[in-house]
Amino acid sequence: MCGIVGYVGHRDCVDFLLQGLRRLEYRGYDSSGVVALTHGGRMQTAKAAGRLDKLIGRLAHSPIHGTTGVGHTRWATHGPATDENSHPHIGGDGLLAVVHNGVIENFRSLKERLEAAGYIFRSATDTEVVAHLIASYWEQEHAATSLTAAEMVEQNYEPLVRCVRAALQKLRGTYGLAVVFRDFPDVVIAAKLGSPLVVGVGDGEHFLASDSSPLVGVTDKIVYLDDHEIAVITADTLRVLHRDLGEKPADVRTLALAAGEVDKGGYEHFMLKEIFEQPDTLCNTMRGRLKPDEATAHFGGLNLSPKELRSVRRIVLTGCGTSWHAALVGEYVIEELARIPVEVEYASELRYRNPPLDDGTLVFAITQSGETADTLAAMREMKRMGHTTLAISNVVGSSIAKEAHGGIYLHAGPEIGVASTKAFTSQCVALTMLGLYLGRMRHLSPVQGARIIDDLQALPEQVRAALACDEAVRQIADKYAQCGTFLYLGRQFNFPAALEGALKLKEISYIHAEGYPAAEMKHGPIALVDENTPSVFIVPQGAVFEKVISNMEEIKARGGPVIAVTCAEGAATIGDLADDVIEVPTVADFLQPIVTAIPTQLLAYYIALRRGCDVDKPRNLAKSVTVE
Ligand code: F6R
């Protein structure tokens, strides 16, 4: 959701800015813009509502150049997606330009004050307040000092930093932001609070971005900024200043991402590539974590002793969207394997609840991006209440991963398609390993533990086998692509799988879909059933197979088309009861949601494709939702 890029160095910044914005497209946006500075005191901007190609077209027609600049993709929050509301926003009378991710909650009162002081607003955004506010401090400071560019360098850009800091102190809300100054074209000042920012360190050049993907291929040296930090970035220097700790050495780390991880690798869409990566991503999530000799799993980063883990009496799993569905899978699996009571809560609700949780409660924030605002806020609230909070996240160094007491990284590689696929299955497998680990500390015998390890080790190849349904699913997608409503039904472990299947379909194909526990369907949703409303049953063989078949009969009796996702044995029993059958390999019941996710992901993908939807960048959605 919104993206920032920046450059200071010896090259024309616009090339990097556009290439970086292209890499950030996956986050979701509806307009974009760049600003470039030259030494002749020119600060030029280009902005366009709509796709990045529109901005690129404008720049081809009226190029701008400079060796310092910043760029932005905006996902509208305050004011619609228009050229005027696109970032960068200009402060004062062309003194400076700002790009900003996050939300300024007190922008109205600040705007009133700035308007009363004569500042003219040209957009409906909260960001423009930041631009004018910094300008107002600069105008006070500049009137007193009238510094030249050379004097500013001598003073280490301190006067500019003072103005930015003074403005930040007035803001309530969240920001990752970057400021450039018309009269000081060799510096970018960036600041972070609650919205990620990283700096790439090059040779005589520095790069700025809201996540690491724009840096891939340009540098492998990365600095993750923390909340309340300000970075003063020139071609040759990087100073990091913390609000409370003063100047601190920049913690330069190695970026372990290869170019192949952020491109489509020959697939038509990132989503399809990520679906097909799952045999490998599941291996990566499990790598080094299964201990066959002790018949258990282990995790390097939980930062809790076995004794502390044995005293856990309750687990809370929280997250949003697909991560919340993974949490539901986790609830079934952990309760089954470890016999610990598990509660699953939407992060957006947990943050405002006041749940009476006892000592011995362990809270897991589950999140692909590690930046989801609601999940971060829920985790902070749980921490404030004194509970141990751990993260299950895919993004190393993300805000949630950093603020948690410890956690589990998914190691699924960057997920760029907006619809989460490989992160979901990795989350499910991480939670299953957690169930095994906690179970082996309690009642699971070595024999039971060893069997679960065998099941887990076989999983990647079973997922590879499940991917063989690709062609069959494509044909089923063609058949049903014009339907207006779908039901997804499953029970027990496959109830969350049904919810996730429905979410996938609605987010990328814009078809109304509902996921339900199969038996619950007759308490309302069955009224939706007619010959144009397909029901996708997630019904592999298992404890509730016969029960779900009865639910299938109920749909059939009302003329609803039935698509069954099942295993070979199940297919034989289902026979003609289903109009279409998609076969997946037989796996242990607690691993079924992982294997059955494959056809439902593919079904959503092919239906969306058939309907001409932009699969990787569905309307209105953002990859990481950094606003409440
Ligand atoms: C759906 C999807 C979203 C995210 C949700 C939470 O495909 O991707 O529902 O799961 O926005 O995001 P994370 O997992 O990054 O916290």
Side-chain angles (χ1 to χ4, degrees):
M1 185 176 263
C2 299
I4 287 177
V5 284
Y7 178 86
V8 203
H10 45 80
R11 296 190 253 172
D12 191 342
C13 63
V14 178
D15 294 341
F16 171 74
L17 298 182
L18 293 179
Q19 173 194 318
L21 291 181
R22 181 69 82 199
R23 289 258 178 86
L24 290 174
E25 275 192 295
Y26 78 97
R27 294 174 66 96
Y29 72 104
D30 40 41
S31 57
S32 58
V34 291
V35 57
L37 281 77
T38 66
H39 281 93
R42 291 186 72 181
M43 186 169 79
Q44 294 173 290
T45 59
K47 314 205 266 189
R51 291 290 183 210
L52 186 58
D53 287 331
K54 197 142 160 230
L55 176 69
I56 293 172
R58 282 194 185 166
L59 285 166
H61 190 254
S62 318
I64 64 172
H65 300 286
T67 50
T68 297
V70 292
H72 191 260
T73 43
R74 170 174 188 256
W75 188 87
T77 55
H78 298 70
T82 60
D83 289 0
E84 295 71 37
N85 289 335
S86 311
H87 301 204
H89 289 287
I90 303 299
D93 192 12
L95 274 180
L96 56 90
V98 171
V99 293
H100 162 234
N101 292 352
V103 170
I104 306 304
E105 286 162 9
N106 59 337
F107 88 100
R108 278 178 217 287
S109 58
L110 292 170
K111 187 169 177 176
E112 274 166 24
R113 261 183 271 160
L114 286 159
E115 277 177 332
Y119 288 90
I120 295 166
F121 281 77
R122 294 177 176 80
S123 78
T125 66
D126 50 343
T127 301
E128 197 176 359
V129 163
V130 185
H132 284 316
L133 195 58
I134 299 173
S136 73
Y137 284 108
W138 174 247
E139 279 164 347
Q140 289 162 28
E141 176 108 13
H142 196 60
T145 59
S146 285
L147 285 175
T148 64
E151 286 165 338
M152 183 63 83
V153 175
E154 263 170 42
Q155 295 196 24
N156 237 345
Y157 297 99
E158 265 314 309
L160 296 182
V161 174
R162 273 202 297 279
C163 296
V164 173
R165 188 181 277 137
L168 296 180
Q169 278 162 356
K170 296 277 181 228
L171 304 181
R172 223 178 42 236
T174 55
Y175 51 78
L177 60 82
V179 198
V180 290
F181 299 84
R182 181 193 60 203
D183 300 330
F184 307 102
D186 294 317
V187 67
V188 173
I189 299 188
K192 168 179 165 20
L193 179 63
S195 191
L197 272 185
V198 298
V199 180
V201 181
D203 195 8
E205 56 188 353
H206 279 104
F207 310 87
L208 179 74
S210 50
D211 73 32
S212 54
S213 56
L215 306 186
V216 175
V218 297
T219 180
D220 63 355
K221 296 197 198 86
I222 186 167
V223 176
Y224 296 91
L225 296 179
D226 281 328
D227 278 352
H228 299 296
E229 284 183 351
I230 297 178
V232 185
I233 310 165
T234 71
D236 299 310
T237 59
L238 167 64
R239 290 171 63 217
V240 179
L241 315 163
H242 189 278
R243 186 188 64 179
D244 308 318
L245 309 171
E247 187 157 348
K248 52 179 272 198
D251 180 7
V252 184
R253 307 210 187 160
T254 303
L255 176 62
L257 273 185
E261 294 185 81
V262 289
D263 62 34
K264 290 188 199 146
Y267 286 88
E268 198 180 339
H269 293 99
F270 281 108
M271 182 178 174
L272 192 62
K273 176 189 175 212
E274 288 157 7
I275 291 173
F276 274 86
E277 277 175 350
Q278 290 173 102
D280 298 326
T281 50
L282 291 169
C283 280
N284 292 341
T285 305
M286 287 190 270
R287 178 158 297 123
R289 287 173 168 158
L290 294 179
K291 272 183 139 181
D293 48 341
E294 293 177 28
T296 187
H298 78 129
F299 301 95
L302 293 183
N303 300 333
L304 292 172
S305 68
K307 189 165 172 225
E308 286 168 312
L309 285 165
R310 254 196 313 274
S311 60
V312 170
R313 289 199 298 275
R314 177 186 205 82
I315 290 178
V316 174
L317 303 175
T318 191
C320 303
T322 290
S323 295
W324 182 78
H325 295 157
L328 289 176
V329 173
E331 177 181 30
Y332 281 92
V333 176
I334 295 171
E335 289 192 343
E336 173 90 8
L337 301 186
R339 314 294 308 144
I340 301 173
V342 177
E343 188 182 333
V344 176
E345 182 62 281
Y346 283 116
S348 54
E349 290 301 310
L350 183 59
R351 65 185 292 186
Y352 293 117
R353 261 183 66 196
N354 188 11
L357 301 175
D358 304 336
D359 287 352
T361 299
L362 195 53
V363 180
F364 280 89
I366 303 175
T367 165
Q368 187 283 131
S369 62
E371 302 295 345
T372 302
D374 284 324
T375 310
L376 182 57
M379 188 181 92
R380 284 181 178 153
E381 176 61 11
M382 291 297 104
K383 254 174 109 169
R384 194 197 58 73
M385 289 170 77
H387 300 300
T388 305
T389 58
L390 301 174
I392 296 182
S393 167
N394 193 33
V395 180
V396 175
S398 55
S399 303
I400 291 173
K402 278 200 292 200
E403 288 195 25
H405 181 89
I408 303 172
Y409 278 124
L410 300 176
H411 300 307
E415 190 178 67
I416 295 181
V418 164
S420 187
T421 52
K422 61 179 181 173
F424 171 72
T425 49
S426 283
Q427 287 166 339
C428 293
V429 109
L431 287 159
T432 305
M433 289 191 294
L434 187 66
L436 167 64
Y437 181 48
L438 297 172
R440 284 285 291 127
M441 288 176 167
R442 291 170 171 79
H443 69 285
L444 276 185
S445 72
V447 173
Q448 289 169 309
R451 197 173 309 132
I452 293 166
I453 290 191
D454 288 346
D455 290 338
L456 282 166
Q457 284 174 331
L459 183 67
E461 281 317 307
Q462 288 162 326
V463 166
R464 199 181 302 285
L467 285 162
C469 70
D470 183 55
E471 188 45 43
V473 174
R474 187 201 289 260
Q475 286 175 22
I476 294 170
D478 284 352
K479 189 167 159 190
Y480 296 104
Q482 301 315 323
C483 294
T485 296
F486 276 68
L487 293 179
Y488 282 72
L489 303 164
R491 290 186 81 164
Q492 215 199 15
F493 294 100
N494 291 302
F495 156 52
L499 290 179
E500 175 59 8
L503 179 66
K504 286 288 89 79
L505 185 71
K506 63 189 139 195
E507 61 183 335
I508 61 169
S509 72
Y510 320 141
I511 296 176
H512 170 231
E514 299 207 21
Y516 261 91
E520 185 67 18
M521 164 272 298
K522 55 189 170 299
H523 299 288
I526 199 165
L528 293 170
V529 171
D530 62 18
E531 62 282 9
N532 293 316
T533 305
S535 293
V536 180
F537 276 87
I538 319 289
V539 56
Q541 278 282 349
V544 291
F545 180 77
E546 299 299 338
K547 307 258 177 217
V548 183
I549 296 299
S550 306
N551 302 139
M552 205 182 266
E553 300 270 11
E554 288 153 12
I555 296 283
K556 235 15 242 175
R558 281 150 188 90
V562 168
I563 303 166
V565 175
T566 186
C567 54
E569 219 181 316
T573 313
I574 291 169
D576 292 345
L577 190 54
D579 298 84
D580 297 277
V581 176
I582 305 170
E583 274 187 41
V584 292
T586 304
V587 296
D589 51 1
F590 54 87
L591 295 178
Q592 285 170 354
I594 299 175
V595 173
T596 59
I598 303 294
T600 57
Q601 292 168 352
L602 287 169
L603 187 64
Y605 174 79
Y606 286 119
I607 288 180
L609 209 60
R610 180 75 189 205
R611 291 167 69 97
C613 301
D614 189 345
V615 173
D616 280 337
K617 298 188 276 294
R619 71 180 180 206
N620 304 338
L621 293 179
K623 184 64 186 163
S624 72
V625 183
T626 49
V627 296
E628 183 171 351

